[in-house]
């Protein structure tokens, strides 16, 4: 109980044993001392730093995490597809865990996991829109879990969008390289995996009430 009162503070009433001493503020400085409390200069935080710059380092670190995760996911997907095209395409599947998991190179003109092959151009536009939305959202990002989730989404979207643009049969109609083939399931790639993992993490964060700006709300 004493520890909780120390963290959240106590009402501004004279201490029962302190002879009416003023309560220190949250930074441990007596109330009314210059540079603290309501009389403090506007635009200055409790740490003495301008409020406009106090949150910038933390926000920039979260943005750096987002793009680092995206770059890692994108590079991993790109390298894996290059290896699959060079070593596995037009060759028999490689069994990893018997019939339960194989590496089998296929070209997928649809969305993730092979769905919607007749809408390749639409899926390309959706992937491009997702990238733009994530880039805009990054400016208000102050949550590390959200940075990781959005980084996974961004890296996965970039990976599949690269295939849509540069692979046959043509620009914005290219077929995505898939190669992970579990038994009784659709064939997918690492970009699809990154997108799914990022989406699941976003759902979990939303259930917990954590917003991208770092605030927590309770419904």
């Amino acid at each position: 109980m004493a520890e909780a009162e120390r963290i959240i503070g106590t009402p501004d009433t004279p201490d029962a044993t302190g002879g009416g001493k003023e309560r220190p503020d949250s930074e441990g400085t007596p109330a009314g001392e210059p540079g603290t409390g309501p009389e403090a200069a506007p635009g200055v935080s409790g740490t003495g730093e301008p409020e406009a710059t106090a949150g910038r380092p933390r926000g920039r670190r979260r943005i750096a995490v987002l793009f680092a995760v995206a770059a890692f996911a994108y590079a991993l997907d790109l390298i894996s597809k290059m290896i699959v095209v060079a070593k596995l395409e037009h060759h028999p599947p490689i069994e990893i865990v018997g019939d339960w998991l194989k590496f089998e190179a296929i070209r997928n003109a649809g969305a993730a996991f092979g769905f919607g092959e007749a809408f390749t151009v639409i899926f390309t536009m959706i992937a491009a829109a997702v990238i733009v939305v994530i880039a805009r959202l990054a400016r208000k990002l102050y949550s590390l879990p959200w940075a990781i989730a959005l980084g996974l989404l961004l890296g996965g979207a970039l990976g599949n969008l690269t295939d849509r643009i540069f692979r046959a049969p043509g620009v914005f109609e290219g077929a995505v390289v898939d190669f992970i083939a579990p038994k009784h399931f659709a064939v997918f790639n690492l970009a699809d995996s990154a997108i799914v993992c990022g989406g699941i993490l976003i759902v979990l964060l939303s259930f917990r009430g954590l917003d991208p700006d770092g605030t927590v709300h309770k419904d």
Side-chain angles (χ1 to χ4, degrees), residues 68-86 106 108 112-113 127 131 151-167 175-180 187-196:
V69 171
F72 178 77
Y74 176 69
L76 203 60
D77 177 69
L78 187 63
I79 293 171
S80 66
K81 289 174 179 175
M82 292 174 62
I83 296 174
V84 166
V85 170
I106 67 167
N108 171 26
F113 306 108
I131 293 170
L152 290 171
L153 284 180
L154 181 59
L158 284 171
N160 284 338
L161 184 61
T162 300
D163 284 358
R164 303 289 188 195
I165 295 175
F166 295 106
R167 296 193 186 277
V176 174
V177 175
D178 290 335
F179 63 94
I180 304 173
V187 184
F188 59 96
N189 56 40
L190 295 182
D192 297 333
S193 301
I195 292 171
V196 171

Side-chain angles (χ1 to χ4, degrees), residues 7-152:
I7 295 174
I8 65 174
T10 54
D12 289 321
T13 56
D15 188 83
T17 60
K21 292 183 179 179
E22 293 179 328
R23 180 182 60 85
D25 61 13
S26 60
E27 296 295 330
T29 306
E33 188 171 295
T36 63
E39 296 80 13
V44 178
S45 66
T47 60
E49 297 180 358
E51 290 179 354
T53 60
R56 285 180 184 174
R58 187 166 69 97
R60 289 175 179 173
R61 285 195 293 270
R62 301 300 184 262
I63 294 174
V65 169
L66 187 156
F67 287 111
V69 171
F72 178 77
Y74 176 69
L76 203 60
D77 177 69
L78 187 63
I79 293 171
S80 66
K81 289 174 179 175
M82 292 174 62
I83 296 174
V84 166
V85 170
K87 302 294 184 181
L88 189 57
E89 200 166 36
H90 309 303
H91 289 79
I94 298 176
E95 293 186 353
I96 304 302
V97 186
D99 291 336
W100 292 98
L101 179 62
K102 299 179 180 180
F103 283 170
E104 180 180 6
I106 67 167
R107 297 294 182 108
N108 171 26
F113 306 108
F115 298 112
E117 294 187 3
F119 303 98
T120 304
V121 176
I122 295 177
F123 292 134
T124 303
M125 296 173 62
I126 292 174
V130 168
I131 293 170
V132 172
V133 170
I134 293 175
R136 291 177 61 87
L137 185 61
R139 297 179 300 174
K140 300 179 180 179
L141 187 63
Y142 286 90
S143 168
L144 180 59
W146 269 95
I148 295 173
L150 293 177
L152 290 171

